[in-house]
Structure formats: structure tokens, C-alpha cells
Amino acid sequence: MSKFEIGTVTKGKVTGIQPYGAFVALDEETQGLVHISEVKHGFVKDINEHLSVGDEVNVKVLSVDESTGKIGLSIRATEPAPEKTEASAPKKPAKKRQGQATVHTESTQGFNTLKEKLEEWIEQSNREDLIKK
């Protein structure tokens, strides 16, 4: 029987890194694997951006396979989950589209000014002298 029970949180040291996860030594003779999906909350593209060999990490024991001796670990499970907010969503830089106009108005009414402009734009689009042929 393993001395590391499922649900236990302990300290470990990263001993190796592979594209799929990191090996963490729990003591002199016991090692487990932190799968890349268990490194942190959110998507991890490159594990090397988050962990290095020699790092001390807190890990939670997720699974213990008595027959093979393999131990599944999680760093993510030892950290509080981030609150779901729009700020936590990946931010994409705003791209200025070609031909995109910037309109500066004195009004603070928001979309009401768009409604007024829309009527003006529709009127302009129907004018024969403005239609390109």
C-alpha cells in the first residue's frame, strides 16, 4: 500500500519535464506525474512556460495505481479556481480594420446616437446621386 493517499496535498520537486506533463519526486523513492492539464487552471500550451526542473511545488494526489506504482498528481487542484469573469478570458488585441471609421461625438447616450446615424445612412444609401455605378 502506498503512503500517499488520494486527496493528500504534499510538497514535491520537479525532476523531469515532458511535453505531456512533469515528473515530481514526492520523497526519495516515490515519484508521480502531473499531467499538462493539471498544471494550472486554463489552457497550458507549453509546460516549460510554467515549470522547470528543480521547482518546489504543492501537489494533490489524484490517483494511485497499486499494481504499477504510478501516482497521478495535480498542481491545479492545490490552487483556488479563478472566478469566471470576462477579464479572465484570453484577450485578443483589437485590430483596426481597413476602412473602419472612428466617430467622436459629444453625446453620452451610447447606442441612441447609432440609431440616429443609421437612419441617416439608410437615407444616404437610397439616394441615386450617391450610388456608385
Side-chain angles (χ1 to χ4, degrees):
M1 181 163 151
S2 170
K3 61 182 168 183
F4 295 99
E5 297 294 320
I6 293 173
T8 306
V9 175
T10 186
K11 277 200 180 295
K13 191 174 208 172
V14 178
T15 58
I17 294 181
Q18 295 295 323
Y20 53 84
F23 291 95
V24 176
L26 302 177
D27 61 22
E28 293 298 317
E29 62 270 345
T30 311
Q31 183 168 274
L33 175 70
V34 177
H35 187 267
I36 191 168
S37 66
E38 293 294 333
V39 170
K40 68 179 232 82
H41 293 280
F43 180 74
V44 175
K45 183 175 181 177
D46 182 2
I47 194 167
N48 293 295
E49 293 176 4
H50 303 281
L51 294 174
S52 301
V53 172
D55 285 355
E56 293 257 336
V57 291
N58 286 325
V59 291
K60 182 173 186 176
V61 178
L62 297 181
S63 63
V64 178
D65 186 333
E66 295 293 339
S67 61
T68 62
K70 292 183 178 179
I71 299 176
L73 303 170
S74 173
I75 296 170
R76 176 176 79 149
T78 65
E79 301 168 348
E83 290 184 28
K84 297 280 185 198
T85 63
E86 287 187 37
S88 67
K91 289 187 172 70
K92 293 184 180 177
K95 292 181 182 174
K96 182 115 176 154
R97 293 191 186 110
Q98 189 173 4
Q100 185 176 9
T102 305
V103 179
H104 298 284
T105 62
E106 297 294 318
S107 174
T108 58
Q109 294 182 333
F111 288 102
N112 291 341
T113 57
L114 282 178
K115 183 179 178 186
E116 294 163 11
K117 286 302 262 181
L118 184 61
E119 291 169 8
E120 181 183 330
W121 295 330
I122 291 171
E123 184 182 314
Q124 287 175 355
S125 71
N126 291 329
R127 285 185 40 195
E128 289 295 320
D129 60 325
L130 295 176
I131 296 175
K132 294 179 183 172
K133 295 185 181 177

